[in-house]
Amino acid sequence: MTELSGFPTLKPAIITKVHVADVNPLGVLHNGSKMTHYGTPTGTIESVPGYEPSFKADVVFGADWLSFDPDRKHGRINLKGIAKTDKGFSIDFRYKGVIKMADEVHQIFDMDPEMHTVPFGYATGAHTFLVADPELKDLENSVFVSNGRILVHEKGLTVETRQSLVIASTVMD
């Protein structure tokens, strides 16, 4: 069997954590999906050891316009936010993804008292960045994909994504 070539690889790069603050149900839309706006005004974005450019930023604004498919099997993430680096620069960050709505995930979005942290494996997505800091411009010119999870804790909910840089293959068939 011939080994497949030309596929990209992934390099661990960034961990983002946003804290859910308020929930604003919008209701059923024209396409039958149900939308809820989740405010995520605080959190952190931080590069992992070994990833360059290295940086840390605090989330100062964020919200997810999350929609749920009519069959309740998937959720559609549409998170937008602003973070400030420790050097004072702003980062516009965006996250679009899909959540497999397993029973454990439904418990969280239904605010079931028995809800608990949902592990990685239910949410995947893509991330984009707009930055003013010249040292972080590579973020704008790169592609990032992620796994996500929802942490349930005494202060509420935190959405965590672990993002990897997509590295283009140089191997040809």
PDB file of all heavy atoms in Angstrom, residues 106-121:
ATOM      1  N   HIS A 106     -25.598  18.500  26.145  1.00  0.00           N
ATOM      2  CA  HIS A 106     -26.966  19.005  26.351  1.00  0.00           C
ATOM      3  C   HIS A 106     -27.192  19.402  27.811  1.00  0.00           C
ATOM      4  O   HIS A 106     -27.857  20.400  28.080  1.00  0.00           O
ATOM      5  CB  HIS A 106     -28.007  17.956  25.934  1.00  0.00           C
ATOM      6  CG  HIS A 106     -28.335  17.969  24.481  1.00  0.00           C
ATOM      7  ND1 HIS A 106     -29.017  19.003  23.876  1.00  0.00           N
ATOM      8  CD2 HIS A 106     -28.065  17.082  23.510  1.00  0.00           C
ATOM      9  CE1 HIS A 106     -29.163  18.751  22.598  1.00  0.00           C
ATOM     10  NE2 HIS A 106     -28.588  17.588  22.342  1.00  0.00           N
ATOM     11  N   GLN A 107     -26.636  18.644  28.741  1.00  0.00           N
ATOM     12  CA  GLN A 107     -26.808  18.974  30.164  1.00  0.00           C
ATOM     13  C   GLN A 107     -26.320  20.382  30.461  1.00  0.00           C
ATOM     14  O   GLN A 107     -26.959  21.127  31.199  1.00  0.00           O
ATOM     15  CB  GLN A 107     -26.047  17.974  31.047  1.00  0.00           C
ATOM     16  CG  GLN A 107     -26.753  16.677  31.261  1.00  0.00           C
ATOM     17  CD  GLN A 107     -25.981  15.803  32.235  1.00  0.00           C
ATOM     18  OE1 GLN A 107     -24.775  15.606  32.100  1.00  0.00           O
ATOM     19  NE2 GLN A 107     -26.686  15.291  33.231  1.00  0.00           N
ATOM     20  N   ILE A 108     -25.176  20.746  29.868  1.00  0.00           N
ATOM     21  CA  ILE A 108     -24.628  22.083  30.117  1.00  0.00           C
ATOM     22  C   ILE A 108     -25.532  23.151  29.521  1.00  0.00           C
ATOM     23  O   ILE A 108     -25.889  24.116  30.195  1.00  0.00           O
ATOM     24  CB  ILE A 108     -23.196  22.198  29.566  1.00  0.00           C
ATOM     25  CG1 ILE A 108     -22.261  21.330  30.425  1.00  0.00           C
ATOM     26  CG2 ILE A 108     -22.734  23.658  29.534  1.00  0.00           C
ATOM     27  CD1 ILE A 108     -20.853  21.235  29.910  1.00  0.00           C
ATOM     28  N   PHE A 109     -25.920  23.002  28.266  1.00  0.00           N
ATOM     29  CA  PHE A 109     -26.717  24.038  27.619  1.00  0.00           C
ATOM     30  C   PHE A 109     -28.156  24.082  28.137  1.00  0.00           C
ATOM     31  O   PHE A 109     -28.833  25.100  27.991  1.00  0.00           O
ATOM     32  CB  PHE A 109     -26.668  23.882  26.098  1.00  0.00           C
ATOM     33  CG  PHE A 109     -25.305  24.208  25.549  1.00  0.00           C
ATOM     34  CD1 PHE A 109     -24.530  23.226  24.970  1.00  0.00           C
ATOM     35  CD2 PHE A 109     -24.795  25.491  25.637  1.00  0.00           C
ATOM     36  CE1 PHE A 109     -23.268  23.524  24.478  1.00  0.00           C
ATOM     37  CE2 PHE A 109     -23.530  25.800  25.162  1.00  0.00           C
ATOM     38  CZ  PHE A 109     -22.767  24.806  24.570  1.00  0.00           C
ATOM     39  N   ASP A 110     -28.593  23.003  28.774  1.00  0.00           N
ATOM     40  CA  ASP A 110     -29.905  22.999  29.427  1.00  0.00           C
ATOM     41  C   ASP A 110     -29.802  23.435  30.895  1.00  0.00           C
ATOM     42  O   ASP A 110     -30.790  23.441  31.611  1.00  0.00           O
ATOM     43  CB  ASP A 110     -30.541  21.603  29.344  1.00  0.00           C
ATOM     44  CG  ASP A 110     -30.879  21.204  27.924  1.00  0.00           C
ATOM     45  OD1 ASP A 110     -30.993  22.098  27.049  1.00  0.00           O
ATOM     46  OD2 ASP A 110     -31.024  19.982  27.665  1.00  0.00           O
ATOM     47  N   MET A 111     -28.561  23.765  31.347  1.00  0.00           N
ATOM     48  CA  MET A 111     -28.282  24.172  32.731  1.00  0.00           C
ATOM     49  C   MET A 111     -28.774  23.146  33.753  1.00  0.00           C
ATOM     50  O   MET A 111     -29.294  23.493  34.813  1.00  0.00           O
ATOM     51  CB  MET A 111     -28.859  25.562  33.020  1.00  0.00           C
ATOM     52  CG  MET A 111     -28.256  26.666  32.156  1.00  0.00           C
ATOM     53  SD  MET A 111     -26.451  26.760  32.200  1.00  0.00           S
ATOM     54  CE  MET A 111     -26.181  27.356  33.852  1.00  0.00           C
ATOM     55  N   ASP A 112     -28.591  21.887  33.427  1.00  0.00           N
ATOM     56  CA  ASP A 112     -28.953  20.776  34.307  1.00  0.00           C
ATOM     57  C   ASP A 112     -28.069  20.818  35.555  1.00  0.00           C
ATOM     58  O   ASP A 112     -26.845  20.936  35.441  1.00  0.00           O
ATOM     59  CB  ASP A 112     -28.744  19.461  33.552  1.00  0.00           C
ATOM     60  CG  ASP A 112     -29.197  18.238  34.318  1.00  0.00           C
ATOM     61  OD1 ASP A 112     -28.998  18.174  35.548  1.00  0.00           O
ATOM     62  OD2 ASP A 112     -29.741  17.323  33.680  1.00  0.00           O
ATOM     63  N   PRO A 113     -28.642  20.745  36.761  1.00  0.00           N
ATOM     64  CA  PRO A 113     -27.832  20.772  37.990  1.00  0.00           C
ATOM     65  C   PRO A 113     -26.799  19.643  38.055  1.00  0.00           C
ATOM     66  O   PRO A 113     -25.823  19.742  38.785  1.00  0.00           O
ATOM     67  CB  PRO A 113     -28.854  20.630  39.118  1.00  0.00           C
ATOM     68  CG  PRO A 113     -30.185  20.871  38.506  1.00  0.00           C
ATOM     69  CD  PRO A 113     -30.071  20.666  37.031  1.00  0.00           C
ATOM     70  N   GLU A 114     -26.995  18.573  37.281  1.00  0.00           N
ATOM     71  CA  GLU A 114     -26.067  17.439  37.262  1.00  0.00           C
ATOM     72  C   GLU A 114     -24.956  17.605  36.219  1.00  0.00           C
ATOM     73  O   GLU A 114     -24.154  16.691  36.019  1.00  0.00           O
ATOM     74  CB  GLU A 114     -26.836  16.137  36.986  1.00  0.00           C
ATOM     75  CG  GLU A 114     -27.886  15.809  38.024  1.00  0.00           C
ATOM     76  CD  GLU A 114     -27.286  15.564  39.397  1.00  0.00           C
ATOM     77  OE1 GLU A 114     -26.267  14.856  39.489  1.00  0.00           O
ATOM     78  OE2 GLU A 114     -27.826  16.102  40.385  1.00  0.00           O
ATOM     79  N   MET A 115     -24.885  18.778  35.566  1.00  0.00           N
ATOM     80  CA  MET A 115     -23.875  18.971  34.519  1.00  0.00           C
ATOM     81  C   MET A 115     -22.474  18.881  35.103  1.00  0.00           C
ATOM     82  O   MET A 115     -22.246  19.130  36.286  1.00  0.00           O
ATOM     83  CB  MET A 115     -24.085  20.313  33.822  1.00  0.00           C
ATOM     84  CG  MET A 115     -23.812  21.533  34.655  1.00  0.00           C
ATOM     85  SD  MET A 115     -24.175  23.019  33.686  1.00  0.00           S
ATOM     86  CE  MET A 115     -24.059  24.248  34.973  1.00  0.00           C
ATOM     87  N   HIS A 116     -21.529  18.509  34.240  1.00  0.00           N
ATOM     88  CA  HIS A 116     -20.138  18.384  34.644  1.00  0.00           C
ATOM     89  C   HIS A 116     -19.240  18.737  33.451  1.00  0.00           C
ATOM     90  O   HIS A 116     -19.717  18.871  32.326  1.00  0.00           O
ATOM     91  CB  HIS A 116     -19.844  16.968  35.154  1.00  0.00           C
ATOM     92  CG  HIS A 116     -20.155  15.903  34.154  1.00  0.00           C
ATOM     93  ND1 HIS A 116     -21.431  15.414  33.968  1.00  0.00           N
ATOM     94  CD2 HIS A 116     -19.377  15.273  33.253  1.00  0.00           C
ATOM     95  CE1 HIS A 116     -21.413  14.505  33.007  1.00  0.00           C
ATOM     96  NE2 HIS A 116     -20.189  14.403  32.559  1.00  0.00           N
ATOM     97  N   THR A 117     -17.952  18.884  33.724  1.00  0.00           N
ATOM     98  CA  THR A 117     -16.992  19.221  32.674  1.00  0.00           C
ATOM     99  C   THR A 117     -17.085  18.227  31.535  1.00  0.00           C
ATOM    100  O   THR A 117     -17.156  17.020  31.748  1.00  0.00           O
ATOM    101  CB  THR A 117     -15.564  19.249  33.246  1.00  0.00           C
ATOM    102  OG1 THR A 117     -15.482  20.349  34.166  1.00  0.00           O
ATOM    103  CG2 THR A 117     -14.514  19.407  32.173  1.00  0.00           C
ATOM    104  N   VAL A 118     -17.096  18.770  30.324  1.00  0.00           N
ATOM    105  CA  VAL A 118     -17.143  17.945  29.116  1.00  0.00           C
ATOM    106  C   VAL A 118     -15.726  17.865  28.562  1.00  0.00           C
ATOM    107  O   VAL A 118     -15.083  18.895  28.344  1.00  0.00           O
ATOM    108  CB  VAL A 118     -18.104  18.575  28.075  1.00  0.00           C
ATOM    109  CG1 VAL A 118     -18.072  17.805  26.774  1.00  0.00           C
ATOM    110  CG2 VAL A 118     -19.514  18.631  28.626  1.00  0.00           C
ATOM    111  N   PRO A 119     -15.219  16.654  28.322  1.00  0.00           N
ATOM    112  CA  PRO A 119     -13.841  16.518  27.851  1.00  0.00           C
ATOM    113  C   PRO A 119     -13.689  16.941  26.386  1.00  0.00           C
ATOM    114  O   PRO A 119     -14.669  17.186  25.684  1.00  0.00           O
ATOM    115  CB  PRO A 119     -13.576  15.020  28.014  1.00  0.00           C
ATOM    116  CG  PRO A 119     -14.918  14.392  27.864  1.00  0.00           C
ATOM    117  CD  PRO A 119     -15.890  15.371  28.471  1.00  0.00           C
ATOM    118  N   PHE A 120     -12.448  17.005  25.935  1.00  0.00           N
ATOM    119  CA  PHE A 120     -12.190  17.230  24.518  1.00  0.00           C
ATOM    120  C   PHE A 120     -12.809  16.094  23.719  1.00  0.00           C
ATOM    121  O   PHE A 120     -12.987  14.998  24.221  1.00  0.00           O
ATOM    122  CB  PHE A 120     -10.677  17.278  24.252  1.00  0.00           C
ATOM    123  CG  PHE A 120     -10.001  18.463  24.876  1.00  0.00           C
ATOM    124  CD1 PHE A 120      -9.179  18.300  25.974  1.00  0.00           C
ATOM    125  CD2 PHE A 120     -10.197  19.730  24.369  1.00  0.00           C
ATOM    126  CE1 PHE A 120      -8.548  19.388  26.553  1.00  0.00           C
ATOM    127  CE2 PHE A 120      -9.572  20.835  24.944  1.00  0.00           C
ATOM    128  CZ  PHE A 120      -8.750  20.654  26.034  1.00  0.00           C
ATOM    129  N   GLY A 121     -13.143  16.364  22.478  1.00  0.00           N
ATOM    130  CA  GLY A 121     -13.662  15.323  21.604  1.00  0.00           C
ATOM    131  C   GLY A 121     -15.032  15.632  21.038  1.00  0.00           C
ATOM    132  O   GLY A 121     -15.483  14.960  20.110  1.00  0.00           O
TER     133      GLY A 121
END
